[in-house]
Amino acid sequence: MCGIVAYIGHQNASEIILKGLKRLEYRGYDSAGIALMNDGLNIYKKQGKVAELESFLKDKNTKSTIGIGHTRWATHGAPSDENAHPHFSQSGDLAIIHNGIIENYSSLRKDLENKGYTFKSETDTEVFINFIEDIYKNNDGSLEEAVRLALTKVIGAYAIVVMSKDHPNQLIAARKGSPLVIGVGKGEYFLASDATPIVEYTNEVIYVNDYEIALIKDGDISIRDTKDVKMTPYIQKVDMELEAIEKGGFEHFMLKEIFEQPKSIKDCFRGRLMANEGKLVLGGIRDYSNALINAERIVIVACGTSWHAGLVAEYIFEEFCRIPVEVEYASEFRYRNPVIKEGDIVIAISQSGETADTLAAMELAKSKGAIVLGVCNVVGSSISRVSHEGVYTHAGPEIGVASTKAFTAQLTVLTMIALKTAFRKGTIAEQRYREILVDLENIPAKVEKALKTDKQVEGIAELFKDARNFLYLGRGYNFPVALEGALKLKEISYIHAEGYPAAEMKHGPIALIDEEMPVVVIATRDSSYDKIVSNIQEVKARKGKVIAVVSEGDSLIPSMVDHTIEVPGTHEALMPMVSTIPLQLLSYHIAVMRGANVDQPRNLAKSVTVE
């Protein structure tokens, strides 16, 4: 959630770090800061945006070839200048940036206070750096050794970078449970929470693993684990273009990413789907394909939008593969002592591949003998490394906090996994299999057509931008789409919205419907069409304002609702990839009209890397 950027080399560190912090703004934050080595070790930090930090630095000496920077999302202590990172140790000799939560910080703080330490902030991070300093002062070892010993005592998650006034050519970095990547240049190193601040300078990176400590000193890097065992750094090439993390002429990243979906869906099945030949190639799960075929059940773990993708996948796997599926909130999964049997298939879904709750759920499932398959977007991410096998979505970087193209990309990959499994298992006839593959191959063109409703949706948004509540209804495959549409509206416009199965409306939410209540109904032609027509009539009988997403050519529903948005038809299992498009556009335009920060909604973070 927090963003880490650090640099050591021969360039101006402050310029690289500030630019990097801007690249990480999409992760969500409430304050920012930077530490530089210039006439000593100096920290500059401010509550608010990176732009406010830049203004604060205008009259400061920021020339330095080493530095660390941070964007903070508040956990311990409210947003403030004092609680912003970096943090000094009590002596002022050490500085730290930290992403994560130290769970035993309270007991550590009490011990340090008993030793005479005082604290300027409410954060666990200031406790962390003073704990390191206390070990360093009271042992004969190096600072690296003090960091290593501290890490064996702290409980929780962390990605840290430590600077020392006494070692002006050295950075120490470590991680457990929070992402950290090191870019390797010529005599210089770039550290960050993900690759977005790094790709401008180098495409060679080291993904730091849990329990690893990196020492960067005098132009060299060495990595050891917390047991003091030397590790061999594995340098990978990162495949990310700078243009992919810029707006490309769009007003917001979210709008850009909505309109990228025809391409991102196509990229998901590029080289994998050959509809004319009736082929699907998914090399990422080759070794466990038989386990999928023979699975007695599948458990899907995810959070937020990824959880909604999992709900759609539940319908798809059960219909085509005839395998029972359970979809779990990863944040609840590990705390309810779930029944997991050896050989169960657990599919973990995450855009970033760093979602802390999902990672914890995966570790629990693995400990019980489950086969864990990952579906994520970021190559080299933690989930891709923890999984036994998995499939990348290849959707490209998603910068907007509210996921859009990640959702449709996940649906594409999950659909391919289900269809491949069903065909090999013999639970789908070959002709039907081939027909759905052709339909899947045509989805990008249908999404392209759905995007042409943009101006019409903008007009509807103008009518309802001041609404205080929204209700979203769907049935079957479109029920998770209703949940996702409501989530998008809540996330970026701050309007209260709820998604429901349409038939459940009569079990409570119907009490809310009056002439002030906009009701968005996903009513495309499918096996539930007649039922959804009845649900619409129930809403209209109570004077609700109905916005219906319908299939092209529908003449019945438009005659009974207030507003209709037509989308191209397709197989109902694939319809969520198309029917979600107008809902994304509706939430976007309403948020813009309300003056909300679309790409960085308040209180939210792109990647939830703390529990």
Side-chain angles (χ1 to χ4, degrees):
M1 297 174 82
C2 308
I4 281 177
V5 183
Y7 174 79
I8 182 169
H10 47 79
Q11 299 187 60
N12 187 348
S14 63
E15 292 179 5
I16 292 169
I17 292 168
L18 288 168
K19 186 181 288 187
L21 293 179
K22 288 179 180 177
R23 297 271 190 224
L24 291 178
E25 284 187 306
Y26 75 94
R27 296 174 70 90
Y29 71 106
D30 49 59
S31 55
I34 188 169
L36 301 167
M37 198 78 70
N38 48 15
D39 299 324
L41 179 57
N42 296 293
I43 287 177
Y44 313 94
K45 53 187 183 177
K46 292 292 289 181
Q47 180 184 347
K49 297 297 183 184
V50 175
E52 293 172 62
L53 175 64
E54 282 186 302
S55 297
F56 179 64
L57 290 170
K58 277 184 179 176
D59 60 348
K60 308 289 191 301
N61 173 19
T62 58
K63 291 293 173 71
S64 176
T65 56
I66 180 173
I68 58 178
H70 191 270
T71 52
R72 176 180 186 256
W73 188 87
T75 52
H76 297 79
S80 68
D81 291 354
E82 293 77 15
N83 288 331
H85 296 208
H87 286 284
F88 273 131
S89 62
Q90 183 159 287
S91 69
D93 292 342
L94 304 178
I96 190 173
I97 50 177
H98 166 222
N99 180 10
I101 290 178
I102 304 304
E103 295 173 11
N104 61 334
Y105 88 101
S106 181
S107 60
L108 292 174
R109 179 168 176 149
K110 286 177 184 176
D111 289 343
L112 290 167
E113 285 173 336
N114 289 337
K115 293 180 180 181
Y117 284 82
T118 58
F119 296 90
K120 297 178 181 177
S121 77
E122 303 166 81
T123 67
D124 54 341
T125 305
E126 189 184 7
V127 173
F128 200 166
I129 192 61
N130 278 305
F131 185 48
I132 292 170
E133 179 167 89
D134 188 61
I135 294 172
Y136 185 40
K137 283 183 174 180
N138 291 290
N139 290 273
D140 295 329
S142 64
L143 178 58
E144 182 189 9
E145 175 68 3
V147 171
R148 186 186 72 80
L149 290 172
L151 297 180
T152 64
K153 303 294 183 183
V154 298
I155 299 169
Y158 55 79
I160 61 168
V161 185
V162 176
M163 281 177 70
S164 167
K165 185 171 70 175
D166 296 332
H167 302 89
N169 299 309
Q170 170 182 294
L171 290 176
I172 299 172
R175 75 155 277 179
K176 178 201 163 196
S178 290
L180 185 63
V181 59
I182 300 174
V184 180
K186 294 181 179 179
E188 59 184 351
Y189 294 88
F190 309 81
L191 297 85
S193 297
D194 63 44
T196 53
I198 291 173
V199 291
E200 186 171 348
Y201 307 100
T202 179
N203 66 347
E204 293 190 336
V205 301
I206 299 167
Y207 291 101
V208 182
N209 295 310
D210 278 354
Y211 304 105
E212 288 185 345
I213 306 165
L215 173 65
I216 304 171
K217 185 177 181 180
D218 299 326
D220 290 320
I221 185 169
S222 63
I223 297 180
R224 308 182 82 85
D225 66 14
T226 51
K227 295 180 181 177
D228 205 24
V229 176
K230 188 173 182 179
M231 315 298 288
T232 301
Y234 175 51
I235 299 176
Q236 299 178 234
K237 289 200 180 294
V238 62
D239 182 20
M240 186 188 296
E241 298 294 331
L242 185 61
E243 293 79 14
I245 56 175
E246 294 180 338
K247 290 181 184 175
F250 286 88
E251 187 177 354
H252 298 97
F253 280 111
M254 183 181 178
L255 188 62
K256 177 192 177 212
E257 288 153 9
I258 290 172
F259 275 84
E260 283 178 341
Q261 287 173 108
K263 179 181 183 299
S264 61
I265 293 170
K266 192 176 290 186
D267 286 344
C268 286
F269 59 63
R270 190 187 306 279
R272 293 166 168 168
L273 170 63
M274 289 140 275
N276 291 336
E277 301 173 39
K279 284 186 180 179
L280 267 176
V281 179
L282 297 173
I285 56 170
R286 184 179 291 116
D287 291 347
Y288 290 93
S289 59
N290 287 334
L292 262 170
I293 291 166
N294 297 315
E296 293 185 5
R297 70 167 181 160
I298 294 171
V299 179
I300 296 175
V301 292
C303 299
T305 289
S306 297
W307 186 75
H308 296 154
L311 290 177
V312 177
E314 177 183 18
Y315 285 74
I316 295 172
F317 274 100
E318 291 194 341
E319 177 173 349
F320 297 127
C321 305
R322 306 310 298 155
I323 301 172
V325 179
E326 300 167 23
V327 185
E328 302 271 1
Y329 282 114
S331 54
E332 289 293 319
F333 181 75
R334 66 183 296 217
Y335 293 110
R336 64 170 188 79
N337 195 19
V339 178
I340 298 291
K341 299 176 183 176
E342 190 166 341
D344 280 349
I345 300 292
V346 173
I347 299 177
I349 312 170
S350 166
Q351 188 283 138
S352 68
E354 301 292 349
T355 309
D357 289 314
T358 306
L359 281 164
M362 293 169 70
E363 296 286 8
L364 175 62
K366 285 179 74 175
S367 73
K368 292 179 177 291
I371 295 166
V372 178
L373 306 179
V375 173
C376 69
N377 190 36
V378 180
V379 176
S381 60
S382 297
I383 282 176
S384 69
R385 286 178 282 163
V386 170
S387 305
H388 289 106
E389 280 195 318
V391 183
Y392 286 116
T393 56
H394 297 308
E398 188 179 64
I399 306 300
V401 167
S403 278
T404 51
K405 68 176 180 176
F407 179 64
T408 50
Q410 289 165 354
L411 293 182
T412 304
V413 164
L414 291 162
T415 301
M416 289 193 294
I417 295 172
L419 289 172
K420 178 77 173 179
T421 302
F423 184 64
R424 291 197 61 220
K425 189 176 181 182
T427 51
I428 184 172
E430 182 173 359
Q431 182 178 348
R432 190 182 186 206
Y433 173 70
R434 284 176 170 269
E435 287 171 354
I436 297 174
L437 291 188
V438 171
D439 283 345
L440 180 57
E441 195 170 62
N442 290 330
I443 287 295
K446 294 185 177 185
V447 170
E448 188 83 56
K449 197 168 185 181
L451 287 166
K452 292 180 179 177
T453 65
D454 182 45
K455 286 298 179 187
Q456 180 194 1
V457 173
E458 187 176 6
I460 295 171
E462 180 67 43
L463 298 174
F464 294 101
K465 69 180 188 300
D466 297 320
R468 298 183 64 185
N469 301 282
F470 265 76
L471 187 62
Y472 286 71
L473 302 176
R475 298 187 78 126
Y477 284 101
N478 279 321
F479 160 52
V481 178
L483 294 176
E484 175 62 11
L487 176 62
K488 286 284 115 15
L489 191 69
K490 281 185 279 196
E491 284 180 312
I492 63 170
S493 73
Y494 319 137
I495 295 173
H496 174 254
E498 295 294 337
Y500 269 88
E504 285 296 303
M505 176 184 61
K506 295 189 290 292
H507 296 271
I510 198 167
L512 300 172
I513 294 173
D514 59 20
E515 61 273 13
E516 300 296 322
M517 173 67 82
V519 182
V520 179
V521 185
I522 303 95
T524 53
R525 282 201 174 273
D526 57 23
S527 55
S528 301
Y529 181 79
D530 291 339
K531 298 294 185 183
I532 206 83
V533 168
S534 297
N535 298 137
I536 290 171
Q537 289 171 328
E538 290 163 353
V539 173
K540 290 306 298 175
R542 288 152 182 85
K543 300 182 180 180
K545 301 295 184 184
V546 176
I547 304 162
V549 178
V550 301
S551 300
E552 281 180 332
D554 190 327
S555 58
L556 176 59
I557 291 177
S559 68
M560 62 178 68
V561 302
D562 300 275
H563 306 278
T564 56
I565 305 165
E566 287 193 355
V567 295
T570 187
H571 189 285
E572 66 179 292
L574 308 180
M575 183 52 75
M577 287 184 261
V578 181
S579 59
T580 195
I581 302 300
L583 308 189
Q584 294 173 352
L585 292 169
L586 182 65
S587 61
Y588 170 79
H589 287 300
I590 288 176
V592 170
M593 291 171 186
R594 290 168 66 92
N597 189 335
V598 173
D599 288 333
Q600 298 167 40
R602 68 188 183 202
N603 304 331
L604 293 181
K606 180 65 178 172
S607 179
V608 183
T609 57
V610 294
E611 291 186 65

